[in-house]
Amino acid sequence: SYVLTQPPSVSVAPGQTARIPCGGNNIGSKSVHWYQQKPGQAPVLLVYDDSDRPSGIPERFSGSNSGNAATLTISRVEAGDEADYYCQVWTSTSDVFGSGTKVTVL
Amino acid sequence: EVQLVQSGAEVKKPGESLRISCRGSGYSFTNYWISWVRQMPGKGLEWMGKIDPSDSYINYSPSFQGHVTISADKSIGTAYLQWSSLKASDTAMYYCARRMTTVTTSYFDPWGQGTLVTVSS
């Protein structure tokens, strides 16, 4: 089965840039989607098809995907961005989530 | 507004049966698959399976095949997740999500608010 690897945690100071990697074998050939989950809340779609944002998602959130890693970038980090972030891909047999990354705003 | 509204929290004993629900509104329910996702306490998201409400075709994750049953009633725009004999290890938050698809991929938007299932003797 296909495995997506994320670091357990990322720390970033307010106003700085956070980069969250999502590793997978030849992930650049797949479309990667990202979700934000704040404590006690359901996940929310943040980025789809590698780099597209649903309406209402700030431009500070962006995505890229190439080779064996996709990346979610959060620019000008705010305290409200503190949350868990999950990547997700579709394979021919199932949908797969990454293990999740907890972003801490210092 | 597109919404998925799930049934309320449940507390059950091991061996009991349970069915939780997910009602869609604000869109054509039969045009989109519904997926179920498990989140165990303090853990990540796990895809359980999906159903096409138009014909009730179901695809389970191998990890959940045989342990749960997914169904839907298109006449009332509702999908279900059920257990015939709960275990303590079924304690988790369960989310339903509308599955958006293109030719090459799928993703989930929106999600239901979640149903917390607690199994304890």
Side-chain angles (χ1 to χ4, degrees):
Chain A
S1 61
Y2 193 78
V3 176
L4 295 174
T5 302
Q6 297 182 241
S9 62
V10 166
S11 298
V12 59
Q16 298 304 301
T17 297
R19 293 180 178 83
I20 304 167
C22 173
N25 184 33
N26 197 26
I27 196 173
S29 67
K30 302 181 184 299
S31 292
V32 179
H33 320 294
W34 292 90
Y35 304 87
Q36 178 192 63
Q37 186 179 32
K38 294 184 177 180
Q41 298 184 20
V44 172
L45 179 67
L46 207 57
V47 169
Y48 66 98
D49 284 351
D50 296 339
S51 59
D52 290 333
R53 284 183 306 277
S55 60
I57 300 300
E59 292 183 3
R60 300 186 300 105
F61 294 93
S62 62
S64 62
N65 184 20
S66 178
N68 291 316
T71 302
L72 174 70
T73 300
I74 311 174
S75 303
R76 303 180 300 282
V77 167
E78 302 173 356
D81 297 332
E82 195 159 276
D84 294 324
Y85 293 83
Y86 295 90
C87 56
Q88 177 251 320
V89 301
W90 174 79
T91 72
S92 58
T93 57
S94 66
D95 290 290
V96 179
F97 290 99
S99 49
T101 298
K102 181 176 181 58
V103 169
T104 300
V105 181
L106 301 171
Chain B
E1 179 192 6
V2 176
Q3 282 192 101
L4 295 175
V5 178
Q6 298 185 226
S7 50
E10 301 275 1
V11 179
K12 292 289 189 179
K13 296 185 184 328
E16 292 187 332
S17 62
L18 174 65
R19 188 177 76 168
I20 62 175
S21 67
C22 167
R23 181 175 56 84
S25 63
Y27 72 101
S28 178
F29 187 71
T30 54
N31 283 358
Y32 299 87
W33 293 63
I34 294 287
S35 277
W36 287 94
V37 176
R38 183 177 77 174
Q39 187 169 38
M40 300 180 76
K43 301 299 184 181
L45 305 173
E46 301 174 88
W47 179 75
M48 301 176 70
K50 65 181 185 285
I51 185 167
D52 180 350
S54 68
D55 61 7
S56 288
Y57 179 82
I58 303 164
N59 177 215
Y60 292 100
S61 162
S63 299
F64 293 91
Q65 177 91 46
H67 297 287
V68 297
T69 301
I70 295 171
S71 61
D73 185 340
K74 63 183 179 182
S75 68
I76 57 173
T78 301
Y80 302 97
L81 179 65
Q82 66 183 66
W83 296 260
S84 59
S85 181
L86 286 160
K87 304 174 183 178
S89 57
D90 293 317
T91 294
M93 182 72 82
Y94 293 88
Y95 294 100
C96 64
R98 187 179 70 164
R99 190 168 179 267
M100 307 293 287
T101 59
T102 68
V103 173
T104 59
T105 191
S106 71
Y107 53 92
F108 306 108
D109 183 50
W111 295 59
Q113 84 277 19
T115 296
L116 180 61
V117 174
T118 303
V119 184
S120 174
S121 55

